[in-house]
Amino acid sequence: MRKLKLQVQMSLDGFVARPNGELDWQWIGKPDESILQRVIELAETCDTILLGRKMTRGFIDHWEDTLDNQSASLHHSLAQQMVSMRKIVFSRTETDIKGRNLEVENGDLAAAVHELKKQPGKDIMVYGGATFVSSLISQNLVDEYYIFRRPVAIGNGLSIFNEQKILELESSISYKNGTLLNKYLPV
């Protein structure tokens, strides 16, 4: 059975975005190419991406633009993966969203995710947004948590944990720029 993996960047004080969804804080400090390499490696273990409707437009536009117009970018190989993977957008309001290899799911979240997990293939990745991820977490649908904890506090923002959740730390990697990657499993 396939696993649903969550990969997020989180501030030191536990937020995944500023109050209005801004992600500018993720780029503060020194870049570390080994983090990008780990993100690419994680993406290679998956063949499907789940997205919430609110973050879809920005996600699709960013990666398609990087692939089509920024061949010299360090992120170009990751863009190739993001664009070529199957992407499923969960929405209660939209039935057609434009993007390469993109489909919209309007059904029950838990039932759809359970059905996806039964299908053959690689694992499934979710990157956000905060509300969508919170729904997955609250319904106990996430099998592995990959949390890149950035060494910056933003004071206020969006959290993905809206209730107590006990997780087991499986591994931790420290990067030169102070970022920690913690892999957690549900207990």
Side-chain angles (χ1 to χ4, degrees):
M1 182 175 281
R2 304 194 309 168
K3 296 178 199 167
L4 177 59
K5 298 176 177 180
L6 167 64
Q7 179 188 310
V8 295
Q9 292 203 39
M10 186 176 285
S11 67
L12 203 56
D13 46 355
F15 301 110
V16 295
R18 291 192 190 274
N20 294 316
E22 303 93 342
L23 303 173
D24 60 307
W25 58 273
Q26 292 181 359
W27 315 115
I28 295 172
K30 292 176 155 182
D32 187 329
E33 287 186 33
S34 57
I35 293 173
L36 175 61
Q37 186 56 43
R38 183 64 179 132
V39 170
I40 290 169
E41 290 167 1
L42 285 169
E44 289 172 345
T45 68
C46 299
D47 62 12
T48 304
I49 298 171
L50 304 186
L51 298 165
R53 178 196 52 83
K54 292 179 192 173
M55 79 163 286
T56 297
R57 188 76 272 136
F59 184 92
I60 296 301
D61 291 349
H62 171 76
W63 290 116
E64 288 184 5
D65 178 66
T66 301
L67 179 64
D68 297 342
N69 302 310
Q70 300 176 41
S71 60
S73 169
L74 288 174
H75 297 104
H76 194 261
S77 64
L78 182 58
Q80 288 175 314
Q81 287 179 292
M82 296 294 112
V83 172
S84 67
M85 272 198 240
R86 176 185 185 197
K87 289 168 282 300
I88 303 171
V89 178
F90 285 81
S91 177
R92 293 185 191 107
T93 59
E94 303 290 326
T95 57
D96 184 38
I97 300 173
K98 301 296 179 216
R100 292 179 224 164
N101 302 309
L102 186 102
E103 55 196 83
V104 178
E105 172 62 53
N106 300 116
D108 178 72
L109 177 63
V113 170
H114 285 300
E115 191 56 40
L116 285 167
K117 287 181 177 186
K118 292 177 188 175
Q119 294 175 1
K122 293 181 177 182
D123 290 332
I124 305 160
M125 182 67 78
V126 61
Y127 296 107
T131 303
F132 177 61
V133 168
S134 291
S135 296
L136 293 168
I137 291 170
S138 69
Q139 295 183 56
N140 298 312
L141 297 170
V142 178
D143 300 300
E144 296 179 355
Y145 295 74
Y146 294 85
I147 299 176
F148 285 89
R149 188 52 82 66
R150 302 277 297 161
V152 59
I154 61 175
N156 191 9
L158 303 177
S159 175
I160 56 173
F161 296 104
N162 297 319
E163 57 198 34
Q164 179 173 301
K165 184 65 63 177
I166 299 172
L167 302 172
E168 178 182 325
L169 178 65
E170 183 177 274
S171 63
S172 186
I173 300 170
S174 176
Y175 293 94
K176 292 177 189 174
N177 68 357
T179 298
L180 294 174
L181 168 57
N182 292 324
K183 177 183 178 185
Y184 296 98
L185 302 176
V187 177

